[in-house]
Structures are given as structure tokens and as C-alpha cells.
Amino acid sequence: MADLTPTPERPGLHVSKPSPNAPATGSAVCHCGATATATGDNQVRALAEGYTANHGAAHGRTGR
């Protein structure tokens, strides 16, 4: 399986929850340079919502 962890060369959002009893983990890297990680279901949910609202496709490829 490919490594899906985002990098500056491959920006994006990655969320993992290997089992219902394990806490979720997440990482995000935007082409503008912003990075973030989170552990725990609520924190990962906030990370995903923030990335979706403020990074990735939410702003242009210029990074501003």
C-alpha cells in the first residue's frame, strides 16, 4: 500500500482510524506551507473541518 501521508510535494489531508476503539489520527499539509497534526476523534474532526474550510481547494494555488 502506498504511503498516504501528505508532504510539501504531495499536499493533502490524511485521516486514519484503524479500529472503532482506537483514536483517530490525522495530518494535513497545504501547498501554502501550513501543516497540522491531530490525535483523537474530536481533534481530527476539527483538523479536517479547518483544512477543508481554509486550505486545499479553499484557496488558490498561489498559496495566499
Side-chain angles (χ1 to χ4, degrees):
M1 177 182 275
D3 182 5
L4 301 176
T5 304
T7 66
E9 294 78 30
R10 287 187 349 252
L13 174 67
H14 181 257
V15 174
S16 176
K17 185 164 173 82
S19 75
N21 298 324
T25 59
S27 59
V29 176
C30 184
H31 56 268
C32 74
T35 64
T37 60
T39 301
D41 296 0
N42 292 333
Q43 291 83 0
V44 171
R45 183 177 299 111
L47 171 69
E49 289 170 354
Y51 182 83
T52 302
N54 301 301
H55 295 284
H59 60 83
R61 292 300 249 170
T62 62
R64 309 289 173 244

